[in-house]
Coordinates of all heavy atoms in Angstrom, one line a residue:
L151 N -10.6 -0.4 26.0 CA -11.8 -1.0 25.5 C -12.3 -2.2 26.3 O -13.5 -2.4 26.5 CB -11.5 -1.5 24.0 CG -11.3 -0.4 23.0 CD1 -10.8 -1.0 21.7 CD2 -12.6 0.3 22.7
V152 N -11.4 -3.0 26.8 CA -11.8 -4.1 27.7 C -12.4 -3.6 29.0 O -13.4 -4.1 29.5 CB -10.5 -5.1 27.9 CG1 -10.9 -6.0 29.1 CG2 -10.2 -5.8 26.7
A153 N -11.8 -2.6 29.5 CA -12.3 -2.0 30.8 C -13.7 -1.5 30.6 O -14.6 -1.8 31.4 CB -11.4 -0.9 31.3
R154 N -13.9 -0.8 29.5 CA -15.2 -0.3 29.2 C -16.3 -1.3 28.9 O -17.5 -1.3 29.3 CB -15.2 0.8 28.1 CG -14.3 2.0 28.2 CD -14.6 3.1 29.2 NE -15.9 3.3 29.6 CZ -16.6 4.5 29.5 NH1 -16.0 5.5 28.9 NH2 -17.8 4.7 30.0
A155 N -15.8 -2.4 28.2 CA -16.7 -3.5 27.9 C -17.1 -4.2 29.2 O -18.3 -4.6 29.4 CB -16.0 -4.5 27.0
G156 N -16.2 -4.3 30.2 CA -16.5 -4.9 31.5 C -17.4 -4.1 32.3 O -18.4 -4.7 32.8
E157 N -17.3 -2.8 32.3 CA -18.2 -1.9 32.9 C -19.6 -2.0 32.3 O -20.6 -2.0 33.0 CB -17.8 -0.4 32.8 CG -16.8 0.1 33.6 CD -16.2 1.5 33.0 OE1 -17.0 2.2 32.4 OE2 -15.1 1.7 33.1
G159 N -21.0 -4.5 30.9 CA -21.6 -5.7 31.5 C -22.7 -6.3 30.5 O -22.6 -6.1 29.3
G179 N -20.9 -4.1 25.4 CA -19.7 -4.7 25.6 C -19.2 -5.5 24.4 O -18.0 -5.5 24.1
L183 N -15.8 -4.9 22.3 CA -14.8 -5.9 22.1 C -14.6 -6.2 20.6 O -13.5 -6.8 20.3 CB -15.2 -7.2 22.9 CG -15.0 -7.1 24.4 CD1 -15.4 -8.5 25.0 CD2 -13.7 -6.6 24.8
F186 N -11.8 -4.3 19.9 CA -10.7 -4.8 20.6 C -10.0 -5.9 19.9 O -8.7 -6.0 19.6 CB -11.1 -5.4 22.0 CG -10.1 -6.3 22.6 CD1 -9.0 -5.8 23.5 CD2 -10.1 -7.7 22.4 CE1 -8.1 -6.6 24.0 CE2 -9.2 -8.5 23.0 CZ -8.1 -8.0 23.8
W187 N -10.8 -6.9 19.3 CA -10.2 -8.0 18.6 C -9.5 -7.5 17.2 O -8.5 -8.1 16.9 CB -11.3 -9.1 18.3 CG -11.8 -9.8 19.5 CD1 -13.0 -9.7 20.1 CD2 -11.0 -10.6 20.4 NE1 -13.1 -10.4 21.2 CE2 -11.8 -11.0 21.5 CE3 -9.7 -11.1 20.4 CZ2 -11.5 -11.8 22.5 CZ3 -9.2 -11.9 21.5 CH2 -10.2 -12.3 22.5
P452 N -22.8 -15.7 26.0 CA -21.4 -15.8 25.5 C -20.5 -14.6 25.8 O -19.3 -14.7 25.6 CB -21.6 -15.9 24.0 CG -22.9 -15.3 23.7 CD -23.8 -15.4 24.9
F453 N -21.1 -13.6 26.4 CA -20.2 -12.4 26.7 C -19.1 -12.6 27.7 O -18.0 -12.2 27.6 CB -21.1 -11.2 27.1 CG -20.3 -9.9 27.4 CD1 -19.6 -9.3 26.4 CD2 -20.2 -9.4 28.6 CE1 -18.9 -8.1 26.6 CE2 -19.5 -8.2 28.9 CZ -18.8 -7.6 27.9
G454 N -19.6 -13.4 28.8 CA -18.6 -13.7 29.9 C -17.3 -14.4 29.4 O -16.2 -13.8 29.6
P455 N -17.5 -15.5 28.7 CA -16.3 -16.1 28.2 C -15.5 -15.2 27.2 O -14.2 -15.3 27.2 CB -16.8 -17.3 27.4 CG -18.2 -17.6 27.9 CD -18.7 -16.2 28.4
Q456 N -16.2 -14.4 26.4 CA -15.5 -13.5 25.5 C -14.6 -12.5 26.2 O -13.4 -12.3 25.9 CB -16.4 -12.9 24.5 CG -15.7 -12.0 23.5 CD -16.5 -11.0 22.7 OE1 -16.0 -10.3 21.9 NE2 -17.8 -11.1 22.8
L457 N -15.2 -11.9 27.3 CA -14.5 -10.9 28.1 C -13.3 -11.5 28.7 O -12.2 -11.0 28.8 CB -15.5 -10.3 29.1 CG -15.0 -9.2 29.9 CD1 -14.6 -7.9 29.0 CD2 -16.0 -8.7 31.0
A458 N -13.6 -12.8 29.2 CA -12.4 -13.5 29.9 C -11.3 -13.8 28.9 O -10.1 -13.6 29.2 CB -12.9 -14.8 30.5
A459 N -11.7 -14.1 27.7 CA -10.7 -14.3 26.7 C -9.9 -13.1 26.3 O -8.6 -13.0 26.1 CB -11.3 -14.9 25.4
A460 N -10.6 -12.0 26.2 CA -10.0 -10.7 25.9 C -9.0 -10.3 27.0 O -7.9 -9.9 26.7 CB -11.0 -9.6 25.7
R461 N -9.4 -10.5 28.3 CA -8.5 -10.2 29.4 C -7.4 -11.0 29.4 O -6.2 -10.6 29.7 CB -9.3 -10.3 30.7 CG -10.3 -9.1 30.9 CD -11.1 -9.3 32.3 NE -11.9 -8.1 32.5 CZ -13.1 -8.2 33.1 NH1 -13.6 -9.3 33.5 NH2 -13.7 -7.1 33.3
A462 N -7.6 -12.3 29.1 CA -6.4 -13.2 29.1 C -5.5 -12.9 28.0 O -4.2 -12.9 28.2 CB -6.9 -14.8 28.9
W463 N -5.9 -12.5 26.8 CA -5.1 -12.1 25.7 C -4.2 -10.8 26.2 O -3.0 -10.9 26.0 CB -5.9 -11.6 24.6 CG -5.1 -11.4 23.3 CD1 -4.7 -12.2 22.3 CD2 -4.5 -10.1 23.0 NE1 -3.9 -11.6 21.4 CE2 -3.8 -10.3 21.8 CE3 -4.4 -8.8 23.5 CZ2 -3.0 -9.2 21.1 CZ3 -3.7 -7.8 22.9 CH2 -3.0 -8.0 21.8

Side-chain angles (χ1 to χ4, degrees):
L151 290 171
V152 167
R154 303 285 339 235
E157 280 164 33
L183 289 183
F186 166 86
W187 292 112
F453 180 65
Q456 183 190 176
L457 186 61
R461 286 180 172 144
W463 186 94

